[in-house]
Amino acid sequence: RAVSFLDDNGIECYIDPLALKAVTAKDKAELIHKYLEDPSIDALMAFWGGLKTIELLPHLNFDLIEKSQKPIIGYSDTTSLLQAINASTNAPTYHGAALISFAKKLYREDSLSSLREALGKTYTLPQPERSNLQPHSSMDPIDAATNAPSVYK
């Protein structure tokens, strides 16, 4: 239902069967890298909040994430990924609807409006001064995920 709803509203959505088969954090990170390098993909959205997303962080190529500038969207457990990306790159992230949100009639119109805004614009919010916020070259992504401010680009 969620994919059909997005397709019917002009946002082409694809669920890669390989993503459903990826078992290890390393396998999942490699798929993320593949999607970031694929010119036919405009953004990445979590299917739902996830589980153990923090395990991806040691396997991610943050230089590739920054270079791609593709929005990465999600909520709940995906927050650790978004915060690490925020603290380590200037890539756009959005703490918002996951794909499953569009299967729920109660919230999907608001979620669709927010998604269209996220895909159509990129904002950079000022980062608050934080003593533990360091340039991405020296910040450990796992530390960033637990200590980064809750401000999203």
Side-chain angles (χ1 to χ4, degrees), residues 68-152:
S68 80
Q69 288 296 301
K70 292 182 182 182
I72 299 177
I73 305 163
Y75 69 88
S76 189
D77 193 58
T78 309
T79 303
S80 60
L81 171 65
L82 301 179
Q83 287 186 318
I85 291 170
N86 256 345
S88 303
T89 75
N90 286 316
T93 63
Y94 297 94
H95 189 264
L99 183 61
I100 196 71
S101 304
F102 297 99
K104 302 172 186 176
K105 289 182 181 182
L106 181 61
Y107 301 113
R108 66 183 177 190
E109 290 301 326
D110 286 339
S111 296
L112 179 62
S113 175
S114 297
L115 178 61
R116 283 188 171 140
E117 188 173 329
L119 295 176
K121 301 176 184 175
T122 302
Y123 304 103
T124 302
L125 299 177
Q127 291 283 344
E129 292 295 320
R130 296 267 310 242
S131 61
N132 65 337
L133 199 57
Q134 304 167 16
H136 75 275
S137 60
S138 64
M139 183 171 244
D140 180 327
I142 294 174
D143 185 51
T146 56
N147 293 312
S150 296
V151 175
Y152 299 95

Side-chain angles (χ1 to χ4, degrees), residues 3 10 15 20 38 45 55 57 60 80-81 84 89 97 132 134 148:
V3 172
I15 299 174
L20 303 174
D38 185 334
M45 178 187 286
E55 293 178 3
L57 302 183
L60 290 174
S80 60
L81 171 65
T89 75
N132 65 337
Q134 304 167 16

Side-chain angles (χ1 to χ4, degrees), residues 5 10 14 16 27 29-30 33 45 47 50 56 59-60 71 78 82 91 96 98 132 146 149:
F5 176 78
Y14 173 72
D16 185 350
D27 291 343
E30 287 173 2
H33 297 154
M45 178 187 286
F47 181 79
L56 296 172
H59 305 286
L60 290 174
T78 309
L82 301 179
N132 65 337
T146 56

